[in-house]
Amino acid sequence: MASTHVTKRAKYKTTIKDPGTPGTLRMTFEKILFVPHNPKSAGKLDVEFRYIKGQKHTKEGSNKPPWLNLTNNQNGSFIFEFENYSDLQECRDFVGKVLAKGGEVSEKPTVAYPDEQLSAAEMELRIKLLQEDSELQKLHKQFVLSGVLTETEFWATRKKLLDREVSKKTKQWLGFKSAMISDIKPSTDGRTNKVTFNLTPEVILQIFAEKPAVHRAFLSYVPNKMSERTFWTKYFRAEYLHSTKNSIAAAAEAAEDEELAVFLKQDDILASEAQKKIRRVDPTLDMEADEGDDYTHLPDHGIFREGNKEMTESQNELYKRSLSQDINRHAAVVLEGRAVDVELEDTKAVAEALAQSKQKSSNKGESDGDISRERLDRLSRMTEIEDLQGPNTLPLAPLCIKDPRDYFDSQQANALRTSGDALGGIEQIKCGLSTQEVYGSLRESISSIKAMGLKEPIVKPEVAHQVFDALTNSISNTKYHIGKNPQESVLDRLPRKTKEELLHHWTSILELLKHFWASYPITTTYLYAKVNRLKDAMSNIYPQLEEIKGSVPSELRHQVSLLVRPMHQALDAAIQHYEASMQKRSAQSGERPNGYV
Amino acid sequence: MASAPSKLYADDVSLVVVLLDTNPFFWSSSSLSFSQFLSHVLAFLNAILTLNQLNQVVVIATGYNSCDYVFDSSSDLNRSFENGRMPVMCSSLLQKLEEFLIKDEQLSKEEPEGKIKSSLFSGSLSMALCYIQRVFRSGALHPHPRILCLQGSPDGPEQYVAIMNAIFSAQRSSVPIDSCYLGSQNSAFLQQASYITAGVHHKPQNLDGLFQYLMTIFATDLHSRSFIHLPKPVGVDFRASSVFGQAQSEAASASDKKRKTPET
């Protein structure tokens, strides 16, 4: 019952040995009030729920009396003895509810920023992310643990990462076990000749899914005609009879007990379902067999039949069940998947849930009037005779392909306009001559060379020598500075530690700058403090970069300083901006005597 | 294509596809005259063919309105042009080039003033790659192909996408694109092409010695490139993509825009 308070008669004990003071226990969402019946006794108790940390209780099945033990956060405990276990249960639920609610607004040790609802799952996610990505962990350690950035800020920009982790853990429905139920062995007691089956709701669900006749029998017989226990006893008796493969005995027992007969007969629901499925098979399915399908003529295949075939009794045919039928049915059910996805504790609930889901799926099946019409359409399309078809003129949409040059030309004009000479001056060939003249001059050159032959000498020796020298010089210089491989970059030539440090500095600078620029314009004190912190952290990076430059051998120093330069530029820009805004502020605050805060 | 006896096949057999820039607008304003340029190039092609008996050379002319094959060293049609003044190969090339120019002129139409007069580099690059693909499928024994671009015309931004596509497909088929830029500015497309496909890019300082540049740098076959040092550019201009957008903005200017603060 969802009430806002619980009142019960109980005895309050301070320790286990204490006989307890009888009285009334009243619990509301805020506090626990215990008033003893005897106003003179000293057991009055008035405790706020805030102080209650946890609860313990004695189990119902044990021989102990119903006790509820509430522990508070000073490690004291309040023990209440109830009259019966249902009272205890009620109080326990209530306390559980209150404690769960209370846990959400627990105080946090660092209260410098607005409260953040951090569920345990989210903490776990963050820890997992940190463990997986060492780069992230280094950044986290550097900034958050040293107080430059707070947790919230750090993770605020990484929402996408967290979301991705969450979506990875999508709920997957657990299917049925592949092992057959008949493989579940009961425990046999040799002495008393009793066989004990252990039924869990899981197994029951599987039995109902595989054998719809049993399901139907359960729904109709229990609890009207027989108890659940009797039902299962009869079911297992039927199973036993099947396993002995004694169809005569099965027929005999079925004749006596009509309920047992239900379990022994063939499953008629299954039969009708199978018939429906056969009617729905697509006639256009190509079932042509090829050589690979013919396994019967392989050597060593099949069982040799010799002599007499077994004559089967037709009247007992009804009570036989073959292994292949069982296996096929089991496989079909496992592949269909689990229709009921709830933790069920009660057989009755299981049966009803399964019936409900079947109802739903049969409702969906009724709408397959459309489906059958669609199938007929498809059939007629697949079996059409081309000669008898009419002309197939579909309306064609006219193609509309625009000239890409319109786009590119306009963009080019844009680019030239906005960036001025940032393009490095695309060469505009000033051509005063017309097309004709231009082509004409080219053709003239060709004719002249045809007439005169190749230039003699092709290249003058001094020029060649000059070119050769220059090339050799430049090649050897660049090889020294940059390296042989055209794809190699400067970073690869640095010692590994330096390279890692430089890269780490880059990422940390980016992180700091991200937060720095995002805090402008400064509107609250919080942002103001944050910006100060970030600026201090940024100033600390300069000496670190100098150190790296110093640690590198002298021939690489120039390269390293080239790499470090953009970092300096970015930091300088940020610090400049900071100082400019500080000046503006102090100019403004000069007017107010109290200062602007 | 003539089949080669396998025992003559060595590591350094190469197929060089030369993309010759025949943009008349560029050549009319270039310091190097077209006939001088042709002498350098023809001598260079001859030299390549003498480096190895099985080397092949294919020349594709990159015109202003069209592109076409003008020379294929493995074809047998080279016999027909006899001219006492020069080797047979050169005269056939020149003849074909002249015919190509006539055709190209006929295709020209009215162009708006101020348009960048770029040659159809993407077209000739694609033709070269198609030829090379055919060579790949000709059998197990084939020369190592590479592409040499002799370009002087400026980059045409409308060809950016097509050129990048060609570059990536060359990269996938491991065909290096060497480039020699003869113009006065820089060509970002050529630099990118050579960088991405692991080819060599060079902009000769002294165009009179073009032949020496070609022989020193671009005659090296692919096998020898593993131990011969070739010039490497100090930096590659990847800015071609910014032709379509604004120039990169600095971090400082970004702060002036209002930014959404992260939740705190």
Side-chain angles (χ1 to χ4, degrees):
Chain A
M1 54 183 191
S3 58
T4 51
H5 63 270
V6 168
T7 315
K8 292 274 178 261
R9 282 148 68 92
K11 286 202 221 159
Y12 168 56
K13 309 148 77 91
T14 40
T15 67
I16 298 188
K17 294 283 199 305
D18 181 16
T21 342
T24 322
L25 174 68
R26 186 186 163 84
M27 293 199 278
T28 63
F29 279 145
E30 276 87 50
K31 54 160 113 186
I32 303 176
L33 192 58
F34 178 77
V35 179
H37 287 155
N38 189 350
K40 289 216 206 80
S41 68
K44 186 157 188 264
L45 185 65
D46 183 352
V47 179
E48 296 197 35
F49 254 118
R50 251 189 315 143
Y51 299 121
I52 302 295
K53 211 170 47 167
Q55 58 166 332
K56 289 191 280 221
H57 64 93
T58 52
K59 279 215 170 33
E60 188 169 334
S62 62
N63 295 330
K64 299 214 195 109
W67 286 347
L68 178 67
N69 185 348
L70 298 172
T71 47
N72 72 358
N73 46 10
Q74 277 118 24
N75 287 332
S77 55
F78 312 106
I79 309 183
F80 297 100
E81 180 173 335
F82 292 95
E83 291 173 356
N84 52 32
Y85 269 99
S86 55
D87 283 350
L88 170 64
Q89 186 69 19
E90 266 184 60
C91 290
R92 210 180 65 165
D93 293 338
F94 187 80
V95 173
K97 245 196 315 180
V98 178
L99 282 181
K101 250 185 15 147
E104 285 172 9
V105 288
S106 59
E107 290 165 304
K108 311 208 53 171
T110 57
V111 198
Y113 48 88
D115 275 322
E116 193 189 0
Q117 311 280 11
L118 257 197
S119 61
E122 177 135 343
M123 280 303 298
E124 255 183 55
L125 257 186
R126 291 185 180 183
I127 293 178
K128 185 160 121 115
L129 271 178
L130 283 178
Q131 277 171 349
E132 283 175 4
D133 188 354
S134 69
E135 188 64 45
L136 200 62
Q137 195 177 32
K138 266 200 281 193
L139 278 181
H140 188 260
K141 200 164 65 148
Q142 189 183 351
F143 292 133
V144 177
L145 297 183
S146 64
V148 177
L149 286 175
T150 58
E151 279 280 340
T152 8
E153 290 162 0
F154 186 74
W155 290 106
T157 53
R158 291 189 166 82
K159 272 198 165 38
K160 252 202 316 191
L161 275 181
L162 289 173
D163 287 338
R164 205 171 1 125
E165 286 296 323
V166 167
S167 66
K168 265 198 237 166
K169 303 194 294 188
T170 48
K171 273 182 58 115
Q172 217 178 5
W173 280 16
L174 217 51
F176 288 125
K177 287 212 188 73
S178 317
M180 294 191 62
I181 313 171
S182 50
D183 289 346
I184 301 176
K185 295 272 177 269
S187 53
T188 45
D189 193 347
R191 280 188 304 147
T192 58
N193 259 349
K194 270 192 3 179
V195 168
T196 323
F197 287 90
N198 230 339
L199 276 184
T200 65
E202 181 73 31
V203 175
I204 291 176
L205 183 60
Q206 200 162 359
I207 293 178
F208 285 158
E210 285 189 19
K211 302 186 179 145
V214 173
H215 185 211
R216 183 181 58 185
F218 181 82
L219 286 174
S220 52
Y221 289 165
V222 173
N224 313 331
K225 269 190 159 186
M226 59 170 88
S227 75
E228 194 179 324
R229 219 179 156 77
T230 343
F231 180 83
W232 289 118
T233 323
K234 291 209 182 182
Y235 174 76
F236 282 114
R237 175 99 193 123
E239 287 293 313
Y240 171 69
L241 286 172
H242 274 304
S243 67
T244 56
K245 290 204 184 6
N246 194 344
S247 52
I248 304 171
E253 287 215 21
E256 288 174 27
D257 187 354
E258 77 167 61
E259 281 118 24
L260 196 57
V262 170
F263 298 132
L264 290 171
K265 270 200 308 225
Q266 305 277 20
D267 199 332
D268 56 339
I269 301 184
L270 272 183
S272 63
E273 272 182 24
Q275 275 192 346
K276 264 197 248 153
K277 282 193 201 156
I278 289 178
R279 259 185 254 129
R280 286 205 305 247
V281 168
D282 187 0
T284 62
L285 188 63
D286 184 2
M287 294 185 45
E288 184 183 321
D290 59 13
E291 270 189 25
D293 294 340
D294 181 15
Y295 54 84
T296 51
H297 292 110
L298 292 174
D300 301 328
H301 175 84
I303 307 170
F304 288 115
R305 280 266 178 121
E306 47 197 355
N308 22 338
K309 284 162 89 164
E310 294 163 10
M311 299 299 286
T312 49
E313 300 271 343
S314 53
Q315 72 190 119
N316 293 335
E317 191 72 32
L318 208 48
Y319 299 105
K320 278 176 82 126
R321 202 171 66 187
S322 66
L323 184 60
S324 57
Q325 280 176 327
D326 287 342
I327 294 182
N328 285 340
R329 177 68 194 154
H330 175 76
V333 167
V334 169
L335 287 176
E336 255 170 28
R338 182 188 270 271
V340 176
D341 183 42
V342 176
E343 298 276 325
L344 297 163
E345 301 198 343
D346 185 8
T347 319
K348 186 97 186 146
V350 169
E352 281 170 2
L354 196 56
Q356 244 182 352
S357 67
K358 278 221 193 112
Q359 184 70 17
K360 261 191 270 170
S361 62
S362 74
N363 281 341
K364 274 195 244 154
E366 273 160 18
S367 71
D368 72 1
D370 297 325
I371 299 179
S372 59
R373 218 179 309 129
E374 213 183 275
R375 270 195 327 126
L376 284 176
D377 279 340
R378 194 157 47 92
L379 277 177
S380 63
R381 270 206 308 272
M382 287 188 71
T383 52
E384 67 188 7
I385 304 173
E386 281 163 9
D387 298 346
L388 301 177
Q389 296 298 328
N392 197 356
T393 48
L394 297 165
L396 294 171
L399 264 187
C400 173
I401 300 183
K402 296 211 153 75
D403 188 5
R405 267 186 278 211
D406 292 340
Y407 171 74
F408 287 113
D409 286 348
S410 67
Q411 284 298 343
Q412 199 187 308
N414 267 345
L416 287 175
R417 232 185 307 125
T418 55
S419 53
D421 69 343
L423 296 170
I426 289 190
E427 181 176 318
Q428 291 280 16
I429 301 183
K430 293 284 184 283
C431 204
L433 311 168
S434 75
T435 321
Q436 228 177 0
E437 288 165 343
V438 145
Y439 274 99
S441 73
L442 258 195
R443 294 219 309 270
E444 237 177 69
S445 328
I446 297 183
S447 334
S448 74
I449 197 179
K450 271 210 298 204
M452 313 251 290
L454 297 180
K455 208 168 72 151
E456 198 68 47
I458 302 283
V459 64
K460 294 207 201 65
E462 316 84 61
V463 176
H465 186 249
Q466 217 179 32
V467 165
F468 202 63
D469 264 343
L471 271 183
T472 323
N473 264 331
S474 71
I475 292 177
S476 56
N477 281 342
T478 50
K479 170 178 154 255
Y480 186 60
H481 280 144
I482 298 185
K484 227 169 35 152
N485 194 342
Q487 310 278 23
E488 205 184 83
S489 77
V490 183
L491 272 180
D492 294 328
R493 298 190 65 215
L494 298 173
R496 199 166 55 96
K497 187 159 122 12
T498 323
K499 174 177 163 193
E500 276 171 13
E501 272 180 31
L502 275 177
L503 287 175
H504 178 69
H505 275 297
W506 251 125
T507 38
S508 50
I509 288 178
L510 281 176
E511 183 76 20
L512 285 175
L513 285 176
K514 216 172 17 176
H515 289 277
F516 179 81
W517 289 115
S519 320
Y520 276 92
I522 301 185
T523 45
T524 69
T525 23
Y526 171 64
L527 285 177
Y528 186 67
K530 179 174 167 190
V531 160
N532 279 333
R533 278 203 315 261
L534 290 173
K535 178 202 165 269
D536 292 333
M538 285 195 281
S539 332
N540 286 339
I541 296 190
Y542 283 105
Q544 289 176 351
L545 290 179
E546 292 300 315
E547 209 184 284
I548 294 183
K549 266 203 270 189
S551 71
V552 158
S554 59
E555 62 261 14
L556 294 170
R557 215 163 278 174
H558 179 64
Q559 309 298 327
V560 173
S561 63
L562 279 178
L563 282 175
V564 164
R565 188 141 47 100
M567 295 193 222
H568 274 295
Q569 282 174 339
L571 287 177
D572 288 342
I575 295 192
Q576 258 177 19
H577 190 264
Y578 170 80
E579 278 164 12
S581 72
M582 278 298 123
Q583 272 189 345
K584 250 199 302 189
R585 244 162 206 260
S586 57
Q588 268 181 358
S589 67
E591 300 164 4
R592 304 165 201 243
N594 292 335
Y596 175 58
V597 156
Chain B
M1 228 171 309
S3 63
S6 44
K7 62 179 171 148
L8 286 181
Y9 236 85
D11 284 335
D12 55 350
V13 179
S14 38
L15 158 68
V16 185
V17 183
V18 181
L19 308 184
L20 216 57
D21 188 1
T22 60
N23 184 356
F25 298 100
F26 163 67
W27 285 115
S28 63
S29 56
S30 154
S31 55
L32 183 69
S33 83
F34 192 59
S35 47
Q36 285 173 337
F37 169 68
L38 278 182
S39 330
H40 290 287
V41 171
L42 290 173
F44 169 65
L45 297 179
N46 246 332
I48 288 190
L49 291 172
T50 54
L51 277 176
N52 189 310
Q53 198 179 358
L54 299 169
N55 276 354
Q56 290 176 32
V57 167
V58 176
V59 180
I60 299 178
T62 315
Y64 186 67
N65 295 313
S66 59
C67 311
D68 199 8
Y69 296 95
V70 286
F71 180 70
D72 185 348
S73 68
S74 56
S75 101
D76 292 328
L77 300 171
N78 299 337
R79 307 270 161 253
S80 47
F81 303 98
E82 272 299 334
N83 185 341
R85 293 252 173 214
M86 53 171 53
V88 167
M89 168 208 108
C90 303
S91 50
S92 76
L93 193 157
L94 291 172
Q95 182 67 26
K96 288 252 193 73
L97 195 55
E98 204 166 2
E99 287 163 14
F100 168 74
L101 280 176
I102 296 174
K103 265 195 297 182
D104 201 43
E105 185 177 2
Q106 283 168 353
L107 289 172
S108 56
K109 46 192 197 300
E110 265 312 308
E111 296 274 329
E113 210 32 70
K115 186 174 177 306
I116 291 179
K117 309 240 191 279
S118 59
S119 56
L120 287 182
F121 181 51
S122 57
S124 54
L125 200 48
S126 316
M127 285 172 80
L129 286 170
C130 291
Y131 188 91
I132 289 175
Q133 277 302 315
R134 199 159 57 117
V135 168
F136 278 149
R137 285 159 217 231
S138 66
L141 234 41
H142 57 76
H144 298 291
R146 65 182 192 272
I147 300 179
L148 169 61
C149 313
L150 301 171
Q151 277 284 105
S153 316
D155 295 336
E158 69 275 7
Q159 300 178 40
Y160 175 69
V161 175
I163 292 182
M164 291 314 290
N165 279 339
I167 292 176
F168 290 131
S169 74
Q171 184 193 30
R172 274 219 82 200
S173 350
S174 324
V175 173
I177 299 181
D178 301 332
S179 50
C180 183
Y181 185 65
L182 311 162
S184 49
Q185 301 297 335
N186 268 313
S187 165
F189 288 170
L190 290 181
Q191 285 180 5
Q192 283 190 48
S194 301
Y195 179 77
I196 292 175
T197 55
V200 179
H201 172 84
H202 196 75
K203 178 162 177 283
Q205 303 298 333
N206 190 348
L207 284 175
D208 286 333
L210 180 61
F211 176 73
Q212 185 62 49
Y213 283 104
L214 292 175
M215 285 308 294
T216 317
I217 305 173
F218 297 107
T220 337
D221 58 273
L222 297 183
H223 177 71
S224 316
R225 285 187 193 194
S226 49
F227 42 81
I228 292 184
H229 292 150
L230 298 175
K232 225 171 64 122
V234 181
V236 181
D237 185 4
F238 284 112
R239 262 185 326 153
S241 49
S242 71
V243 170
F244 302 117
Q246 291 171 329
Q248 299 290 343
S249 56
E250 313 244 12
S253 60
S255 72
D256 295 339
K257 303 187 195 136
K258 288 231 183 288
R259 291 264 219 107
K260 187 165 82 100
T261 57
E263 294 158 14
T264 44

